[in-house]
Amino acid sequence: MSRPVPRDELNLPLAVTSLMKGVVYRDTAETAWRHVLGLAAQISDYVATLGLAVVIDEAEGYAFLRSKGDDELADLGIPRLVARHQLPLHTSLLLALLRKKLAEHDTTDAGNRLILTSDQLRELITPFFPVSANEARTADQADTAIRRVVDLGFLRRMPGQDGEYEVRRVIKAYVDAQWLADLDTHLAEYADTMTQEQR
Amino acid sequence: MQFDEIVAVRKSSAAWRLLRADNAPLLLSFLGRVFVDDNVREISESALVNLLDDELYSLNKRLGPGTYPRTPKAYLDEWAAADTGWLRKYYVIESDEPHYDATPAVERAVAWVRSLRERGFVGTESRLNTVIELLRQIVYGGSTDAEIRLAELHRRRAELDVEIEAAERGDFHVMDATSRRDRYQQFADIARALLSDFREVESNFRSLDREMRERIATWRGTKGELLDEVVGSRNVISDSDQGRSFQAFYDLLLSADRLDELDDLVRQTQSLDGLPDDDVRLTNIHHDWLDAGTRAQGTVRRLSEQLRRFLDDQAWLENRRVMDLLRNIESSAYTLRDHRIDDFAHEIDSPTPQVHLPLERPLYRRASTVEVASDGIEEGHADGDSTALFEQIHIDPAPLIEHVRSMLRRRDQVTLADVIAETPMEQGLAELITYLSLTDEGFTKVFDESATETVSWTDDVGAHRSAHVPRVIYLRPSHDPDHPEENR
């Protein structure tokens, strides 16, 4: 376990810039992580002026900046710093399936990291593509979805291990029950209109 | 054991599978040496690959090349696969490299094969003594009746008194060499067995943890009932039989007095005459116990911590809800499978704030045009050393093709190593690369990735060099029965 940094050695600029650059993980950025832990309150005050809130999950070992709600931003009169991505169906689905995998993994395995091979990732998503003779096309589409999730930062290519990906635990914070419930409603409505159009 | 039970064990036991494996001697000797003899409990992939590479190299040298043709990594992958289960492959938090540990199956198989070795002397007396002592502990240690306890203590005192009197008279029994050897053998057996048991202790902890998680995940009652059921105490693992026995052992081992006494005793014992003092590892066995015990202790701590986190109210409910939602999402997604879904989009926040500073963007700058003036051109002269240009090696593929063809006239197929054995390479690596990229209508080339070959040559300065390459096979095309290339 990492020792806390002495109070007078804490470095706010380091903590804030690390967070501005992306999610800070205990396992890959230990120094920054310790400064973030020690400075939680100061960071919170500091980033509040940018319309951001800091989220630290000590148990899971990650910290990140999240945008304040749109209403709050409107009250403050500042624009939104955190981009909102529009994800196509299969990318959204892959995110949901990865979240499920992580939940399953937690029930069966003793907290080792969840590592999936690219074949396993493809297998996850291919059942949701139309049955087609052109398997190469399906594989391409699956790879596109996987690449997108990697770009978003929820999957990480394992360095030196060909075709292995780590499902980053921060996915829990983004793909949470609320997000999944929204996706569920959205998807059900969409499916409804689609099947009605067909009739 | 019943017939059917044995059939089932034969099918499911990883240790039995190991004994039946084709390369069991390699497995037993290699894994036995690294994980059992050297007491390694966690090793990174690269370190293990290096060790195995050395082992394979010396075996292939002794038994002929090709005895173990695959790469070390390929062997490790096979041994760590789910259906073999001899190595546990996992990622540790601090590193992106996979780590390995042997499973208890390896310990068992190694111990069994070792037990097949003939022993010149099998001590039995000490075992009987141990058995009696154990029974005494069970009977008197578990008795709540003060009378029985007192009677036993008095009996022991009487025995001691008799012994003390005899010793005062100078009449005492000296243990002879045989009894000492007998006891030493038993000590060695137990000491080694204890070390190998740790692996199983750890794996028991792990399966306990898995059972717990499964029960928690599939629990259908209320959370309160669950807590009553499994978490009367929060340390489910440490409170199991396995956990308590291990903790007692570990506490005993950790007490400095005990450790010093043990150290002292082992050294004194080994300095006595007439003992088969062939195993230096026994001298420090308690340090190995400590290492292994510490690791098991670490596993317990980590598992308890994770289990606690898993049980955490919020995580538990959230995971539940995620599973329920996913069922719906999946079924909706299935109904959409054969529809066009181009206009579906769902939002998610980026995990990183995006800052685009206006000043970071480059300002407009007129593309500069370059004037080309072609007047007044003079002849330049070189002032650098140009020999490097002439030292570039150009490999002419034609003679190489001819080498392959001439060998194919006699045979249907040749490997790259055959070709190089007959016509040694003169220009080193560049020539080897050219061989790998040869194309010609007179033959086809096949790369066999599953096997490697070693080719060697002598370079310009006379040093001997060799390279491992995938096996390359040059084949004569089968569609030309008249061998037209012979006429060319």
Side-chain angles (χ1 to χ4, degrees):
Chain A
M1 281 286 109
S2 51
R3 263 171 292 105
V5 184
R7 193 124 282 279
D8 52 339
E9 287 170 28
L10 286 168
N11 185 344
L12 185 65
L14 171 69
V16 174
T17 43
S18 303
L19 283 167
M20 285 299 281
K21 286 174 74 99
V23 183
V24 172
Y25 292 97
R26 179 173 51 213
D27 55 355
T28 48
E30 229 211 303
T31 321
W33 169 253
R34 283 188 283 162
H35 287 276
V36 169
L37 268 199
L39 286 163
Q42 287 92 321
I43 296 172
S44 179
D45 290 347
Y46 188 90
V47 298
T49 55
L50 300 169
L52 299 172
V54 61
V55 179
I56 302 177
D57 190 326
E58 264 194 77
E60 298 281 10
Y62 58 72
F64 61 89
L65 297 175
R66 146 169 282 176
S67 179
K68 295 197 171 187
D70 287 334
D71 300 340
E72 259 183 282
L73 289 179
D75 286 348
L76 291 166
I78 51 175
R80 194 183 163 84
L81 264 190
V82 176
R84 213 174 244 160
H85 298 284
Q86 299 281 326
L87 301 183
L89 175 67
H90 289 119
T91 311
S92 314
L93 211 49
L94 182 59
L95 279 178
L97 293 166
L98 288 176
R99 177 66 185 84
K100 181 181 166 199
K101 268 266 168 228
L102 196 64
E104 282 171 351
H105 176 79
D106 282 351
T107 64
T108 53
D109 207 291
N112 282 337
R113 300 196 263 165
L114 173 54
I115 313 270
L116 298 173
T117 63
S118 43
D119 284 345
Q120 286 171 317
L121 287 172
R122 268 187 226 130
E123 271 166 37
L124 267 183
I125 187 81
T126 32
F128 299 97
F129 287 113
V131 188
S132 110
N134 191 349
E135 279 179 31
R137 196 177 122 80
T138 312
D140 277 352
Q141 285 177 314
D143 286 347
T144 310
I146 294 167
R147 233 186 348 263
R148 192 73 211 273
V149 177
V150 172
D151 290 343
L152 286 172
F154 297 122
L155 274 176
R156 183 171 77 110
R157 283 195 189 85
M158 294 298 285
Q161 308 299 322
D162 224 13
E164 287 191 2
Y165 294 84
E166 177 180 6
V167 181
R168 309 248 58 184
R169 299 193 74 90
V170 74
I171 200 174
K172 279 186 151 180
Y174 282 90
V175 184
D176 55 3
Q178 186 55 50
W179 188 85
L180 286 170
D182 290 348
L183 176 65
D184 184 26
T185 332
H186 189 167
L187 203 57
E189 282 167 8
Y190 188 81
D192 239 23
T193 45
M194 284 309 261
T195 39
Q196 262 162 21
E197 267 172 35
Q198 269 213 331
R199 269 186 223 131
Chain B
M1 274 174 112
Q2 300 289 316
F3 178 84
D4 294 336
E5 198 185 339
I6 295 175
V7 170
V9 171
R10 181 165 178 265
K11 224 184 257 167
S12 65
S13 155
W16 199 327
R17 263 202 310 271
L18 196 160
L19 294 170
R20 281 167 43 205
D22 289 336
N23 46 22
L26 171 68
L27 270 159
L28 288 167
S29 63
F30 178 68
L31 297 183
R33 181 164 57 79
V34 175
F35 290 103
V36 181
D37 293 347
D38 294 350
N39 195 32
V40 166
R41 284 177 189 257
E42 183 165 286
I43 184 167
S44 70
E45 181 168 78
S46 54
L48 193 59
V49 162
N50 275 341
L51 289 175
L52 184 56
D53 201 21
D54 292 348
E55 178 95 3
L56 291 178
Y57 177 77
S58 63
L59 282 177
N60 280 334
K61 206 166 156 194
R62 191 153 59 87
L63 305 171
T67 314
Y68 291 107
R70 289 153 61 198
T71 62
K73 178 81 169 55
Y75 284 108
L76 291 186
D77 282 343
E78 185 191 324
W79 300 344
D83 54 342
T84 51
W86 302 319
L87 287 178
R88 198 167 78 85
K89 178 182 177 185
Y90 53 98
Y91 284 93
V92 296
I93 295 291
E94 304 87 39
S95 160
D96 286 341
E97 207 189 351
H99 281 58
Y100 290 89
D101 186 13
T103 59
V106 172
E107 289 274 6
R108 282 207 196 122
V110 169
W112 188 76
V113 170
R114 276 200 190 148
S115 74
L116 296 180
R117 259 204 304 226
E118 303 272 336
R119 280 188 293 174
F121 164 75
V122 179
T124 44
E125 185 217 343
S126 58
R127 275 164 208 257
L128 182 62
N129 281 332
T130 314
V131 167
I132 294 174
E133 183 50 37
L134 282 177
L135 286 174
R136 269 196 203 136
Q137 282 179 16
I138 296 171
V139 171
Y140 302 111
S143 163
T144 47
D145 190 339
E147 290 290 311
I148 296 180
R149 221 159 242 251
L150 272 176
E152 164 65 6
L153 288 172
H154 281 302
R155 191 191 59 74
R156 261 159 51 191
R157 186 161 76 191
E159 256 179 33
L160 278 176
D161 286 343
V162 172
E163 225 174 285
I164 291 169
E165 269 171 42
E168 277 168 349
R169 289 197 306 274
D171 169 20
F172 48 84
H173 176 71
V174 179
M175 203 180 272
D176 61 12
T178 310
S179 325
R180 279 207 306 249
R181 220 159 54 224
D182 180 343
R183 280 162 180 73
Y184 186 75
Q185 197 179 59
Q186 205 192 348
F187 157 69
D189 280 355
I190 296 181
R192 276 197 214 102
L194 198 52
L195 196 57
S196 86
D197 283 346
F198 277 120
R199 219 162 236 131
E200 204 163 342
V201 170
E202 248 193 87
S203 119
N204 281 354
F205 282 138
R206 220 169 267 123
S207 65
L208 221 100
D209 176 73
R210 241 193 325 271
E211 269 168 43
M212 258 5 269
R213 280 162 193 266
E214 216 178 285
R215 248 165 82 197
I216 297 167
T218 54
W219 185 259
R220 287 287 162 239
T222 66
K223 178 93 197 248
E225 284 165 10
L226 174 72
L227 289 176
D228 285 346
E229 166 94 7
V230 296
V231 237
S233 79
R234 301 204 93 185
N235 301 315
V236 198
I237 294 176
S238 338
D239 285 349
S240 64
D241 280 351
Q242 181 75 82
R244 281 196 224 167
S245 163
F246 171 73
Q247 195 55 47
F249 164 85
Y250 195 63
D251 290 345
L252 215 61
L253 197 60
L254 273 192
S255 87
D257 294 350
R258 282 280 180 161
L259 211 56
D260 289 347
E261 188 191 347
L262 202 64
D263 194 35
D264 213 38
L265 284 175
V266 174
R267 274 169 214 288
Q268 277 188 35
T269 311
Q270 289 195 326
S271 64
L272 292 174
D273 296 335
L275 287 182
D277 190 22
D278 55 349
D279 195 346
V280 281
R281 282 206 47 221
L282 283 175
T283 320
N284 291 319
I285 192 92
H286 48 294
H287 293 302
D288 285 349
W289 287 342
L290 209 58
D291 283 351
T294 308
R295 198 177 134 77
Q297 184 76 0
T299 306
V300 174
R301 206 190 43 236
R302 222 184 46 243
L303 290 179
S304 300
E305 207 171 274
Q306 278 158 1
L307 201 58
R308 218 166 293 160
R309 196 202 314 165
F310 180 64
L311 253 177
D312 175 64
D313 266 334
Q314 237 173 338
W316 189 63
L317 289 173
E318 174 106 2
N319 273 350
R320 256 304 158 82
R321 182 128 171 74
V322 165
M323 293 314 237
D324 285 345
L325 284 168
L326 250 304
R327 252 192 302 276
N328 286 340
I329 292 174
E330 280 175 81
S331 76
S332 302
Y334 274 123
T335 61
L336 279 174
R337 193 164 61 167
D338 295 310
H339 291 80
R340 287 180 55 85
I341 38 88
D342 302 343
D343 56 342
F344 180 91
H346 196 66
E347 287 185 338
I348 195 163
D349 276 3
S350 162
T352 319
Q354 269 147 15
V355 187
H356 298 289
L357 299 175
L359 289 178
E360 214 173 55
R361 279 185 225 154
L363 298 173
Y364 174 74
R365 196 182 294 161
R366 212 169 74 92
S368 60
T369 47
V370 181
E371 298 265 336
V372 181
S374 27
D375 305 329
I377 293 175
E378 286 169 32
E379 196 179 337
H381 52 91
D383 55 356
D385 187 7
S386 57
T387 50
L389 287 175
F390 300 104
E391 275 171 4
Q392 301 244 5
I393 302 174
H394 170 71
I395 307 287
D396 181 6
L400 307 186
I401 292 177
E402 195 42 51
H403 293 159
V404 176
R405 277 199 190 173
S406 75
M407 282 189 81
L408 280 176
R409 276 180 205 126
R410 282 166 281 148
R411 277 185 261 166
D412 283 334
Q413 61 173 64
V414 290
T415 67
L416 176 58
D418 294 338
V419 176
I420 290 171
E422 194 163 294
T423 45
M425 295 201 290
E426 288 157 359
Q427 295 169 94
L429 204 52
E431 190 173 350
L432 179 61
I433 302 293
T434 314
Y435 265 118
L436 293 178
S437 56
L438 281 191
T439 48
D440 187 61
E441 71 266 36
F443 53 81
T444 54
K445 182 178 62 195
V446 177
F447 284 91
D448 178 5
E449 302 280 356
S450 64
T452 56
E453 282 186 326
T454 308
V455 292
S456 42
W457 65 91
T458 313
D459 70 5
D460 321 337
V461 291
H464 189 75
R465 296 187 173 277
S466 59
H468 298 286
V469 289
R471 180 186 287 153
V472 183
I473 304 167
Y474 300 105
L475 293 163
R476 193 149 57 175
S478 49
H479 57 266
D480 49 352
D482 300 320
H483 309 307
E485 76 270 24
E486 279 187 15
N487 306 329
R488 264 183 264 167

